[in-house]
Amino acid sequence: MTASAELRSGKGAGDENFPVASFIIRPRYRALILAFYEFVRVADDIADHATLTEQEKLARLDRLEASLLGQNDDEPQGAHLRDVLAARGLPAVHAQHLLCAFRQDVTKLRYDDWDELIGYCQYSAMPVGRFVLDVHGESQATWAASDALCAALQIINHLQDCGKDYRALNRVYVPLDAMAAGGTDVNALGQAQASPALRQCLRGLTTRTATLLAQSRPLAGMVGDARLAMEIATIQALAERLIGLLLTRDPLSERVHLSKTAMLTTALRASASTLTRRLFSRGAPSFSPVSR
């Protein structure tokens, strides 16, 4: 069996909707976060692969986990992440939780309601934020706000790609009860343009996702690391802008992603605002590019 990385989609950290270990993050943490990302990216691409069978996908995800846990060295990304985690004394549990989500992607194609979707986010999204917080040595008191942010990011992605996920993977993250309540069903996701009923359904879910962002808004002020606070503020601001697009645009027929320019300007404003607040509220933060 070839290494799973050979089956990657070609998508990298720079192609994501939100920053992945951007230059804002301290260099001493960036390599570890990127090792985590590379492991997760390989697993995600396996779960979404167009030609692998369900059995082949699950076997490869199991082999990735075995490499992560030191049971083999067959998957380079698993072995590398294992080594860098061990060097920092960090557990593999967050990566393992994400593997649970990818296995679920392989075997589960529909979600009955909002609670079931949030249950999926507990494995598909929340571990990412918890991992980054752990890498920075932040308190677990930050986890609840981080969980809300990560769940919001995941659902935003689901809403942006609802048509593509249905057409390419027959996978529907839009809760079935929300569609039924609006008088529509999954077949509407395969159309070139969203019907009024589907638009109303998606707007309702977008509004509900905005409540998660309201819960996550304090997170940047809760963390001790100034650079991480700026990264979180950037992600929060980008998510809020995407919520605005989803409320006004049709994800089946219109672009609901930010341009590179819009992402950059949003990031600069959010970072500058966060840094200014910290300067006035806590004194000048440590902002040296070298490890502290």
Side-chain angles (χ1 to χ4, degrees), residues 6-261:
E6 296 182 27
L7 302 174
R8 284 185 61 168
S9 65
K11 186 176 182 179
D15 301 312
E16 302 292 345
N17 277 337
F18 303 99
V20 178
S22 76
F23 72 92
I24 298 173
I25 295 293
R26 294 180 187 276
R28 65 174 299 190
Y29 302 135
R30 197 177 302 139
L32 179 52
I33 295 171
L34 287 174
F36 185 85
Y37 173 81
E38 288 298 316
F39 176 84
V40 173
R41 182 74 264 157
V42 169
D44 195 7
D45 286 344
I46 290 302
D48 291 349
H49 200 276
T51 62
L52 292 176
T53 67
E54 179 178 310
Q55 183 178 3
E56 288 170 333
K57 290 178 179 182
L58 293 175
R60 285 185 176 277
L61 292 172
D62 287 346
R63 197 170 76 157
L64 277 167
E65 184 168 29
S67 294
L68 175 69
L69 299 178
Q71 297 166 5
N72 67 47
D73 291 319
D74 296 339
E75 298 286 359
Q77 285 73 23
H80 178 58
L81 180 58
R82 178 188 73 218
D83 291 344
V84 295
L85 289 174
R88 297 294 182 93
L90 292 169
V93 63
H94 300 309
Q96 288 180 277
H97 283 166
L98 285 161
L99 289 174
C100 291
F102 296 133
R103 293 186 182 102
Q104 187 166 318
D105 281 335
V106 174
T107 60
K108 185 175 176 64
L109 301 178
R110 303 288 187 272
Y111 290 83
D112 289 334
D113 52 35
W114 179 265
D115 289 343
E116 196 169 64
L117 183 60
I118 293 296
Y120 169 74
C121 292
Q122 289 177 345
Y123 291 97
S124 69
M126 297 178 190
V128 176
R130 294 182 179 192
F131 172 77
V132 173
L133 291 167
D134 281 359
V135 167
H136 285 79
E138 299 290 344
S139 166
Q140 290 188 10
T142 60
W143 278 17
S146 173
D147 288 350
L149 178 58
C150 290
L153 302 183
Q154 179 73 89
I155 296 170
I156 287 169
N157 181 257
H158 291 331
L159 296 175
Q160 288 174 307
D161 295 338
C162 60
K164 182 177 71 175
D165 286 340
Y166 177 65
R167 290 189 297 269
L169 301 167
N170 190 29
R171 199 181 289 162
V172 178
Y173 297 101
V174 179
L176 299 181
D177 69 339
M179 285 191 284
T184 189
D185 59 28
V186 297
N187 294 316
L189 296 169
Q191 303 303 310
Q193 184 173 354
S195 66
L198 181 59
R199 286 288 302 273
Q200 185 63 29
C201 170
L202 296 178
R203 279 194 293 265
L205 293 168
T206 300
T207 300
R208 197 163 187 178
T209 304
T211 66
L212 293 172
L213 290 178
Q215 295 169 28
S216 67
R217 202 164 290 128
L219 180 59
M222 296 170 65
V223 300
D225 187 280
R227 285 177 176 249
L228 178 59
M230 293 165 67
E231 182 97 333
I232 290 170
T234 293
I235 293 170
Q236 177 83 27
L238 291 170
E240 291 176 355
R241 288 202 62 180
L242 288 171
I243 287 289
L245 293 182
L246 285 165
L247 286 171
T248 58
R249 296 185 185 177
D250 171 15
L252 299 191
S253 62
E254 297 178 274
R255 179 177 173 82
V256 287
H257 293 74
L258 295 172
S259 68
K260 294 293 185 182
T261 300

